[in-house]
Amino acid sequence: MAGDLPFEQPLAELRAKIEELRRFGSDKNIDFTEEIMRLEERYARLEEEIYTEISVQQKLQIARFPMRPTTLDYIQNVFTDFLELHGDRLYRDDLAIVGGLAKLNGVPVTVVGHQKGKDTKDNIARNFGMPHPEGFRKALRLMQQADKFKRPIITFIDTSGAYPGGAAEERGQAEAIARNLREMASFKVPIICVVIGEGGSGGALALGVGNRVLMLEHAIYSVISPEGAASILFKDSTKALQAAETMKITAQDILKLGVIDEIIPEPKGGAHRNLEEQSRNIKEMLWKHLEELVALSADELREDRYRKFRSIGEVALYQNG
């Protein structure tokens, strides 16, 4: 099947054998029903074995998979009446960030997210989902507008990080990220953030200061890419897997650390296997948390956000028996 990940190769080979046996039986008018049933049972067992215990390395592959749904995919399937807005009113429109007005179950919201490309040409246009300062400033402009008109804010996080090039630094990359952090902390409307793929470094955090931070089951969230961490810690980028396991970047690890609030389930094999099912899961989770947050006052929302981020990093150094 198109879109198989490296660790799914045994399943792909077994599927190919089943299809080949079906075609041969049909062409030669031979009944292979029992043989096909045995292979299908073997396939089901293997599938359960592979997907029950997915390793950190496999989660990295799923989170970075080119066919994984993007922000625009979810906007089209979760919301209605989406109107995309462009530009930061200062420099240009950064296509690595998309956003605009939409409705969630009829409630007006502002949606903002990182956007990776679907092919090489699209990825180049969107800078592989790595925003320049104007991308973060566009996101901030839309969120400020939402705060002014009392619309809840929903962000989708999916980037390997902010663009680290010289031009981005000259235009104030660090300042743009820092300003987003400060402003998002002070908004008077509900903010829900969803890590849908790869949440990397400050580029992810610039859209990640919310009352609720959710993650898809096989997404990752980290202060630096595993390759970057390996280069710094071990002076060897090929030790990225070792770094990833040490950094605790999976949704399951980060939930235990209190960085996120809830994990959104994915279809077996990952979100790319069933966009409609994944969109339903996201929509249900967004609506559940939005219903809780809209009951809070502006001051309560800011205090809730403050408490959430102040509590991150609290660990018990000693545990008495």
PDB file of all heavy atoms in Angstrom, residues 186-207:
ATOM      1  N   SER A 186      -1.358  36.558  27.968  1.00  0.00           N
ATOM      2  CA  SER A 186      -2.220  37.616  28.505  1.00  0.00           C
ATOM      3  C   SER A 186      -3.604  37.680  27.870  1.00  0.00           C
ATOM      4  O   SER A 186      -4.454  38.454  28.319  1.00  0.00           O
ATOM      5  CB  SER A 186      -1.528  38.976  28.314  1.00  0.00           C
ATOM      6  OG  SER A 186      -1.432  39.306  26.936  1.00  0.00           O
ATOM      7  N   PHE A 187      -3.866  36.891  26.833  1.00  0.00           N
ATOM      8  CA  PHE A 187      -5.161  36.971  26.158  1.00  0.00           C
ATOM      9  C   PHE A 187      -6.305  36.608  27.088  1.00  0.00           C
ATOM     10  O   PHE A 187      -6.158  35.785  27.999  1.00  0.00           O
ATOM     11  CB  PHE A 187      -5.188  36.067  24.921  1.00  0.00           C
ATOM     12  CG  PHE A 187      -4.360  36.591  23.768  1.00  0.00           C
ATOM     13  CD1 PHE A 187      -3.753  35.710  22.878  1.00  0.00           C
ATOM     14  CD2 PHE A 187      -4.198  37.945  23.563  1.00  0.00           C
ATOM     15  CE1 PHE A 187      -3.004  36.176  21.818  1.00  0.00           C
ATOM     16  CE2 PHE A 187      -3.445  38.431  22.508  1.00  0.00           C
ATOM     17  CZ  PHE A 187      -2.843  37.548  21.636  1.00  0.00           C
ATOM     18  N   LYS A 188      -7.461  37.201  26.828  1.00  0.00           N
ATOM     19  CA  LYS A 188      -8.628  37.024  27.694  1.00  0.00           C
ATOM     20  C   LYS A 188      -9.630  36.008  27.153  1.00  0.00           C
ATOM     21  O   LYS A 188     -10.750  35.921  27.648  1.00  0.00           O
ATOM     22  CB  LYS A 188      -9.323  38.378  27.884  1.00  0.00           C
ATOM     23  CG  LYS A 188      -8.432  39.439  28.502  1.00  0.00           C
ATOM     24  CD  LYS A 188      -9.144  40.778  28.565  1.00  0.00           C
ATOM     25  CE  LYS A 188      -8.239  41.862  29.120  1.00  0.00           C
ATOM     26  NZ  LYS A 188      -8.917  43.192  29.144  1.00  0.00           N
ATOM     27  N   VAL A 189      -9.242  35.265  26.116  1.00  0.00           N
ATOM     28  CA  VAL A 189     -10.138  34.274  25.512  1.00  0.00           C
ATOM     29  C   VAL A 189      -9.536  32.880  25.678  1.00  0.00           C
ATOM     30  O   VAL A 189      -8.333  32.737  25.907  1.00  0.00           O
ATOM     31  CB  VAL A 189     -10.367  34.573  24.008  1.00  0.00           C
ATOM     32  CG1 VAL A 189     -11.067  35.907  23.832  1.00  0.00           C
ATOM     33  CG2 VAL A 189      -9.048  34.547  23.235  1.00  0.00           C
ATOM     34  N   PRO A 190     -10.364  31.839  25.574  1.00  0.00           N
ATOM     35  CA  PRO A 190      -9.829  30.468  25.664  1.00  0.00           C
ATOM     36  C   PRO A 190      -8.838  30.172  24.549  1.00  0.00           C
ATOM     37  O   PRO A 190      -9.051  30.588  23.397  1.00  0.00           O
ATOM     38  CB  PRO A 190     -11.080  29.596  25.520  1.00  0.00           C
ATOM     39  CG  PRO A 190     -12.232  30.481  25.869  1.00  0.00           C
ATOM     40  CD  PRO A 190     -11.837  31.851  25.427  1.00  0.00           C
ATOM     41  N   ILE A 191      -7.770  29.475  24.874  1.00  0.00           N
ATOM     42  CA  ILE A 191      -6.774  29.055  23.882  1.00  0.00           C
ATOM     43  C   ILE A 191      -6.560  27.550  24.025  1.00  0.00           C
ATOM     44  O   ILE A 191      -6.226  27.064  25.114  1.00  0.00           O
ATOM     45  CB  ILE A 191      -5.434  29.777  24.061  1.00  0.00           C
ATOM     46  CG1 ILE A 191      -5.612  31.300  24.043  1.00  0.00           C
ATOM     47  CG2 ILE A 191      -4.449  29.349  22.968  1.00  0.00           C
ATOM     48  CD1 ILE A 191      -4.328  32.076  24.328  1.00  0.00           C
ATOM     49  N   ILE A 192      -6.747  26.828  22.921  1.00  0.00           N
ATOM     50  CA  ILE A 192      -6.496  25.382  22.898  1.00  0.00           C
ATOM     51  C   ILE A 192      -5.445  25.110  21.827  1.00  0.00           C
ATOM     52  O   ILE A 192      -5.601  25.515  20.674  1.00  0.00           O
ATOM     53  CB  ILE A 192      -7.776  24.584  22.593  1.00  0.00           C
ATOM     54  CG1 ILE A 192      -8.872  24.904  23.615  1.00  0.00           C
ATOM     55  CG2 ILE A 192      -7.473  23.081  22.608  1.00  0.00           C
ATOM     56  CD1 ILE A 192     -10.201  24.237  23.319  1.00  0.00           C
ATOM     57  N   CYS A 193      -4.371  24.448  22.213  1.00  0.00           N
ATOM     58  CA  CYS A 193      -3.275  24.135  21.287  1.00  0.00           C
ATOM     59  C   CYS A 193      -3.228  22.627  21.058  1.00  0.00           C
ATOM     60  O   CYS A 193      -3.369  21.851  22.007  1.00  0.00           O
ATOM     61  CB  CYS A 193      -1.937  24.603  21.865  1.00  0.00           C
ATOM     62  SG  CYS A 193      -1.949  26.320  22.455  1.00  0.00           S
ATOM     63  N   VAL A 194      -3.006  22.224  19.810  1.00  0.00           N
ATOM     64  CA  VAL A 194      -2.963  20.801  19.465  1.00  0.00           C
ATOM     65  C   VAL A 194      -1.680  20.510  18.684  1.00  0.00           C
ATOM     66  O   VAL A 194      -1.468  21.077  17.611  1.00  0.00           O
ATOM     67  CB  VAL A 194      -4.175  20.381  18.615  1.00  0.00           C
ATOM     68  CG1 VAL A 194      -4.178  18.865  18.418  1.00  0.00           C
ATOM     69  CG2 VAL A 194      -5.479  20.843  19.246  1.00  0.00           C
ATOM     70  N   VAL A 195      -0.828  19.645  19.228  1.00  0.00           N
ATOM     71  CA  VAL A 195       0.368  19.202  18.510  1.00  0.00           C
ATOM     72  C   VAL A 195      -0.057  18.051  17.602  1.00  0.00           C
ATOM     73  O   VAL A 195      -0.421  16.978  18.073  1.00  0.00           O
ATOM     74  CB  VAL A 195       1.476  18.735  19.474  1.00  0.00           C
ATOM     75  CG1 VAL A 195       2.743  18.369  18.694  1.00  0.00           C
ATOM     76  CG2 VAL A 195       1.777  19.812  20.512  1.00  0.00           C
ATOM     77  N   ILE A 196      -0.048  18.289  16.287  1.00  0.00           N
ATOM     78  CA  ILE A 196      -0.561  17.300  15.345  1.00  0.00           C
ATOM     79  C   ILE A 196       0.532  16.462  14.686  1.00  0.00           C
ATOM     80  O   ILE A 196       0.240  15.425  14.091  1.00  0.00           O
ATOM     81  CB  ILE A 196      -1.429  17.966  14.253  1.00  0.00           C
ATOM     82  CG1 ILE A 196      -0.608  18.990  13.456  1.00  0.00           C
ATOM     83  CG2 ILE A 196      -2.659  18.616  14.875  1.00  0.00           C
ATOM     84  CD1 ILE A 196      -1.346  19.579  12.267  1.00  0.00           C
ATOM     85  N   GLY A 197       1.773  16.914  14.761  1.00  0.00           N
ATOM     86  CA  GLY A 197       2.861  16.177  14.128  1.00  0.00           C
ATOM     87  C   GLY A 197       4.136  16.339  14.920  1.00  0.00           C
ATOM     88  O   GLY A 197       4.341  15.731  15.957  1.00  0.00           O
ATOM     89  N   GLU A 198       4.989  17.220  14.425  1.00  0.00           N
ATOM     90  CA  GLU A 198       6.276  17.468  15.081  1.00  0.00           C
ATOM     91  C   GLU A 198       6.238  18.844  15.738  1.00  0.00           C
ATOM     92  O   GLU A 198       6.096  19.861  15.067  1.00  0.00           O
ATOM     93  CB  GLU A 198       7.404  17.405  14.044  1.00  0.00           C
ATOM     94  CG  GLU A 198       8.788  17.510  14.635  1.00  0.00           C
ATOM     95  CD  GLU A 198       9.881  17.337  13.596  1.00  0.00           C
ATOM     96  OE1 GLU A 198       9.569  17.320  12.392  1.00  0.00           O
ATOM     97  OE2 GLU A 198      11.055  17.225  13.989  1.00  0.00           O
ATOM     98  N   GLY A 199       6.356  18.877  17.047  1.00  0.00           N
ATOM     99  CA  GLY A 199       6.415  20.148  17.763  1.00  0.00           C
ATOM    100  C   GLY A 199       7.844  20.416  18.158  1.00  0.00           C
ATOM    101  O   GLY A 199       8.339  19.834  19.119  1.00  0.00           O
ATOM    102  N   GLY A 200       8.511  21.281  17.422  1.00  0.00           N
ATOM    103  CA  GLY A 200       9.933  21.472  17.638  1.00  0.00           C
ATOM    104  C   GLY A 200      10.316  22.855  18.117  1.00  0.00           C
ATOM    105  O   GLY A 200      10.019  23.855  17.467  1.00  0.00           O
ATOM    106  N   SER A 201      10.958  22.937  19.269  1.00  0.00           N
ATOM    107  CA  SER A 201      11.647  24.110  19.767  1.00  0.00           C
ATOM    108  C   SER A 201      10.739  25.329  19.898  1.00  0.00           C
ATOM    109  O   SER A 201       9.525  25.213  20.055  1.00  0.00           O
ATOM    110  CB  SER A 201      12.842  24.403  18.844  1.00  0.00           C
ATOM    111  OG  SER A 201      13.720  25.322  19.424  1.00  0.00           O
ATOM    112  N   GLY A 202      11.329  26.531  19.820  1.00  0.00           N
ATOM    113  CA  GLY A 202      10.569  27.758  19.983  1.00  0.00           C
ATOM    114  C   GLY A 202       9.562  27.977  18.882  1.00  0.00           C
ATOM    115  O   GLY A 202       8.550  28.658  19.086  1.00  0.00           O
ATOM    116  N   GLY A 203       9.812  27.407  17.714  1.00  0.00           N
ATOM    117  CA  GLY A 203       8.861  27.521  16.617  1.00  0.00           C
ATOM    118  C   GLY A 203       7.524  26.902  16.951  1.00  0.00           C
ATOM    119  O   GLY A 203       6.471  27.376  16.498  1.00  0.00           O
ATOM    120  N   ALA A 204       7.537  25.860  17.770  1.00  0.00           N
ATOM    121  CA  ALA A 204       6.296  25.228  18.226  1.00  0.00           C
ATOM    122  C   ALA A 204       5.707  26.002  19.393  1.00  0.00           C
ATOM    123  O   ALA A 204       4.499  26.258  19.443  1.00  0.00           O
ATOM    124  CB  ALA A 204       6.568  23.785  18.637  1.00  0.00           C
ATOM    125  N   LEU A 205       6.561  26.410  20.330  1.00  0.00           N
ATOM    126  CA  LEU A 205       6.078  27.083  21.526  1.00  0.00           C
ATOM    127  C   LEU A 205       5.436  28.426  21.198  1.00  0.00           C
ATOM    128  O   LEU A 205       4.570  28.903  21.932  1.00  0.00           O
ATOM    129  CB  LEU A 205       7.224  27.277  22.512  1.00  0.00           C
ATOM    130  CG  LEU A 205       6.838  27.651  23.947  1.00  0.00           C
ATOM    131  CD1 LEU A 205       5.887  26.626  24.538  1.00  0.00           C
ATOM    132  CD2 LEU A 205       8.078  27.793  24.814  1.00  0.00           C
ATOM    133  N   ALA A 206       5.829  29.051  20.083  1.00  0.00           N
ATOM    134  CA  ALA A 206       5.260  30.340  19.681  1.00  0.00           C
ATOM    135  C   ALA A 206       3.767  30.250  19.406  1.00  0.00           C
ATOM    136  O   ALA A 206       3.073  31.268  19.369  1.00  0.00           O
ATOM    137  CB  ALA A 206       5.988  30.875  18.439  1.00  0.00           C
ATOM    138  N   LEU A 207       3.256  29.030  19.198  1.00  0.00           N
ATOM    139  CA  LEU A 207       1.816  28.807  19.058  1.00  0.00           C
ATOM    140  C   LEU A 207       1.292  27.903  20.172  1.00  0.00           C
ATOM    141  O   LEU A 207       0.182  27.385  20.068  1.00  0.00           O
ATOM    142  CB  LEU A 207       1.495  28.171  17.693  1.00  0.00           C
ATOM    143  CG  LEU A 207       1.837  28.957  16.433  1.00  0.00           C
ATOM    144  CD1 LEU A 207       1.322  28.215  15.189  1.00  0.00           C
ATOM    145  CD2 LEU A 207       1.268  30.362  16.464  1.00  0.00           C
TER     146      LEU A 207
END
